[in-house]
Amino acid sequence: MTASLTTHVLDTAGGTPAGGMTIDLFRIEGDERVHLASAVTNDDGRTDAPILPDADHGTYEIVFRCAAWLDARAPERRRFLGDVPVRFGIDEDAHYHVPLLLSPFGYSTYRGS
């Protein structure tokens, strides 16, 4: 068995899923980031399939492209956040879920189920 990785994004300021956001996934190898996948969230704020269905143990980084997403929805509003990188480790053969709760001025994340 290998690990799998899913994600979703919720717009906590709007109270809705964050559909249409680009997400990039990287594997960290020493000082290098190796691009593995890109996806765009659907109307439910999720990717249509696991962003990484067969993940090896190691260090990964998801970059949520929040700046473009926030600017497209409220170009007149100032925002504090740019893109949000989340670096995490996969060290067991299990399902990993890394969601992002987003507002224009802050975010939180956690290992979900």
Side-chain angles (χ1 to χ4, degrees), residues 1 19 25 32 41 48 51 53 66 73 89 94 97 100 107:
M1 179 176 165
L25 177 68
E32 294 186 34
T41 57
D48 289 329
I51 193 163
C66 300
R73 274 132 193 92
H97 184 70
L100 185 73
Y107 69 91

Side-chain angles (χ1 to χ4, degrees), residues 40-111:
V40 176
T41 57
N42 60 25
D43 290 342
D44 195 34
R46 300 175 182 275
T47 57
D48 289 329
I51 193 163
L52 192 60
D54 296 312
D56 293 326
H57 296 190
T59 303
Y60 294 86
E61 184 176 272
I62 295 178
V63 179
F64 296 92
R65 303 299 181 185
C66 300
W69 189 88
L70 289 164
D71 288 347
R73 274 132 193 92
E76 72 288 348
R77 179 172 57 189
R78 290 181 338 140
R79 72 171 158 76
F80 171 70
L81 289 178
D83 294 341
V84 173
V86 178
R87 191 168 285 193
F88 57 95
I90 291 179
D91 61 0
E92 60 182 298
D93 293 341
H95 178 69
Y96 285 73
H97 184 70
V98 181
L100 185 73
L101 306 176
L102 174 68
S103 82
F105 300 100
Y107 69 91
S108 66
T109 187
Y110 55 93
R111 181 178 174 187

Side-chain angles (χ1 to χ4, degrees), residues 11-56:
D11 174 6
T12 58
T16 60
M21 182 181 294
T22 299
I23 299 169
D24 288 305
L25 177 68
F26 300 87
R27 181 177 171 92
I28 306 304
E29 297 179 359
D31 291 336
E32 294 186 34
R33 291 185 337 160
V34 178
H35 186 262
L36 299 178
S38 293
V40 176
T41 57
N42 60 25
D43 290 342
D44 195 34
R46 300 175 182 275
T47 57
D48 289 329
I51 193 163
L52 192 60
D54 296 312
D56 293 326

